[in-house]
Amino acid sequence: VGPYVLVTPNETRRKKLQQIAKKELDDLEQWKKEHKPGPITLVPQRLGGNESEAQVRQNQQMILMQSKYQKKHKREEYVKATKAAEEAEILKKKAIQREKAERLEVKKRQEEMQRREMLLEDQMYKTNELLNRLDVGLPKSDSCQIANPGPGSTAWERSRAYKQALREDENRRLEEMKQEQQRKAELMEFKQKQEDEARTRALKNEHRSCFQSLFIFYCTLRVNNAFLDRLQNKIQPNNIYNPGCTG
């Protein structure tokens, strides 16, 4: 440790500071004594309401239970409404997809019918062309055919009958195809009508079930309110002020 200088304290200044601090403390204590709050005097009066603490607690518990039931019912209704909306959306999408599939099926059938008609026309054209080629070597005069019947006239008659049979067969096939297309269109219309009726019945049943659930909830709420009112009416006559219960 190196050298150091010891300074002698100033006793006069220290005493002066101590006296000033003591005086300030005495002034503070004197001020506290002078401004000390006096005793509070209140006129005795009755506090609280007409109900006892136990009844108030019971009413609070009933209100809490009712709020819990209401929240639970609202949550169930929200879940049910959400599920119903999702099911309706799914049914709507299914109906749209079904309509698309039916339209595609109708389009395919129409294309198939057009292809068959074109094939029949092409086949008939080729058959007629072949028969016309066969008719080139046949006699053209009817009198000659009648006067000199022979194997040529028989071939011409056979070709003519064959042409007539082909035309009748073609007409019959076209008529059958038209009737089949008409039956398919009527069947599709009947199926669409049945699906619309089933969808309408499903919506009506859903609305009826929602209405029934709401009606049951309303009746339950009325019964609960009536029970609480009766219970409150039974408890109310005993709500006379009890001197032992203070506010």
Side-chain angles (χ1 to χ4, degrees):
V1 179
Y4 62 92
V5 178
L6 180 62
V7 178
T8 306
N10 191 351
E11 295 294 335
T12 305
R13 186 179 178 185
R14 179 184 291 178
K15 289 180 180 180
K16 188 176 180 180
L17 292 174
Q18 289 178 354
Q19 288 176 0
I20 292 171
K22 184 178 180 182
K23 185 176 182 304
E24 289 179 353
L25 292 174
D26 293 340
D27 293 340
L28 180 61
E29 291 295 332
Q30 185 67 28
W31 184 87
K32 287 182 179 180
K33 290 180 180 180
E34 291 178 356
H35 294 82
K36 184 179 180 180
I40 299 174
T41 56
L42 296 175
V43 178
Q45 58 182 354
R46 177 176 148 188
L47 301 176
N50 296 326
E51 298 180 355
S52 62
E53 184 178 359
Q55 187 175 358
V56 172
R57 296 293 183 188
Q58 188 177 3
N59 293 336
Q60 289 178 352
Q61 188 175 3
M62 287 182 181
I63 293 171
L64 182 62
M65 291 175 65
Q66 286 181 354
S67 65
K68 286 183 179 179
Y69 287 133
Q70 289 176 358
K71 288 180 181 179
K72 183 179 178 181
H73 181 73
K74 286 182 180 179
R75 185 164 57 251
E76 291 177 354
E77 289 295 328
Y78 175 75
V79 172
K80 190 181 294 183
T82 305
K83 185 179 289 186
E86 291 177 356
E87 290 178 355
E89 188 68 22
I90 290 171
L91 290 175
K92 185 178 179 181
K93 289 181 179 179
K94 286 183 178 179
I96 292 171
Q97 294 296 328
R98 192 181 300 111
E99 290 177 358
K100 288 182 179 179
E102 289 176 355
R103 287 199 296 268
L104 183 61
E105 186 69 20
V106 171
K107 186 177 180 181
K108 286 182 179 179
R109 290 174 182 174
Q110 290 178 354
E111 291 177 354
E112 183 67 19
M113 290 182 66
Q114 291 177 359
R115 188 179 67 81
R116 288 182 180 180
E117 289 176 358
M118 291 175 66
L119 183 62
L120 287 173
E121 289 179 358
D122 187 48
Q123 185 178 2
M124 184 178 176
Y125 176 75
K126 289 182 179 180
T127 305
N128 291 330
E129 186 179 359
L130 178 62
L131 293 174
N132 292 328
R133 288 178 183 177
L134 292 175
D135 291 341
V136 173
L138 297 176
K140 300 298 181 179
S141 175
D142 295 338
S143 62
C144 182
Q145 291 176 8
I146 296 171
N148 298 317
S153 62
T154 306
W156 181 79
E157 289 176 359
R158 282 200 302 268
S159 65
R160 184 177 179 182
Y162 182 68
K163 284 183 179 181
Q164 188 69 24
L166 284 177
R167 291 193 187 94
E168 291 177 357
D169 189 18
E170 182 185 0
N171 293 330
R172 182 177 55 81
R173 288 183 182 180
L174 290 175
E175 188 67 25
E176 289 178 356
M177 290 175 67
K178 288 180 180 179
Q179 292 177 0
E180 183 181 0
Q181 187 177 6
Q182 186 176 1
R183 285 196 301 271
K184 288 179 180 179
E186 291 176 355
L187 182 60
M188 288 181 62
E189 185 178 358
F190 180 71
K191 287 183 178 179
Q192 184 68 28
K193 187 176 180 181
Q194 284 184 342
E195 290 176 357
D196 293 338
E197 291 177 355
R199 195 179 299 114
T200 305
R201 285 196 299 271
L203 289 174
K204 286 182 179 179
N205 293 330
E206 185 178 356
H207 291 165
R208 190 181 295 109
S209 62
C210 292
F211 178 75
Q212 288 177 357
S213 61
L214 289 174
F215 181 72
I216 292 170
F217 170 69
Y218 177 70
C219 293
T220 307
L221 186 61
R222 287 192 62 183
V223 171
N224 291 337
N225 290 333
F227 173 72
L228 294 175
D229 292 338
R230 288 197 300 272
L231 184 62
Q232 188 173 3
N233 291 330
K234 288 180 181 180
I235 297 173
Q236 286 265 341
N238 298 325
N239 289 339
I240 303 173
Y241 172 70
N242 189 1
C245 298
T246 58

